[in-house]
Amino acid sequence: MLSKTRVYIIIVVYNMSCIESVTLDNIDKIGLKDDMDVIVCDNSTDDYSINKVYCDNKKYGYIDMNGNKGLSKAYNAAINRSEEHTSELQSPVRS
């Protein structure tokens, strides 16, 4: 049996609130399908702890990079999170 493919939208923010993100605003306007997930990777060097609250409220994944680690590391962290999430969804339920 083939499993359904999930689509992960990875957004990297740097020193801005998620509320200010044009990309996240457009995702909210368009809406997500059941097989789509958003992962926000926060590369901020300033305190934007409000971003975690925003993501929790929207049910988006959130990764705090604890400062600017660079775009590549942010994307890689989000890709790793998506792979972990996909593995969890595909694992059989054990009783």
Side-chain angles (χ1 to χ4, degrees):
M1 178 173 133
L2 294 174
S3 63
K4 215 175 176 193
T5 301
R6 294 204 66 76
V7 175
Y8 292 91
I9 302 166
I10 299 171
I11 311 294
V12 178
V13 294
Y14 173 72
N15 286 350
M16 70 182 299
S17 117
C18 288
I19 296 167
E20 300 173 280
S21 170
V22 173
T23 305
L24 288 169
D25 184 49
N26 285 324
I27 289 170
D28 286 343
K29 288 177 184 173
I30 295 169
L32 294 174
K33 297 187 182 197
D34 290 339
D35 61 347
M36 300 172 99
D37 289 304
V38 173
I39 299 175
V40 174
C41 197
D42 193 343
N43 234 2
S44 298
T45 54
D46 296 335
D47 180 18
Y48 281 94
S49 52
I50 190 71
N51 287 344
K52 172 135 179 48
V53 174
Y54 175 90
C55 290
D56 287 347
N57 288 338
K58 298 283 185 177
K59 307 226 181 316
Y60 295 163
Y62 177 79
I63 301 170
D64 184 353
M65 296 296 290
N66 296 309
N68 186 5
K69 305 294 189 243
L71 193 57
S72 300
K73 287 189 181 198
Y75 279 129
N76 286 331
I79 289 168
N80 289 338
R81 172 77 58 89
S82 71
E83 289 171 347
E84 290 168 8
H85 184 248
T86 301
S87 295
E88 289 171 8
L89 292 176
Q90 293 176 350
S91 295
V93 176
R94 298 171 201 227
S95 35

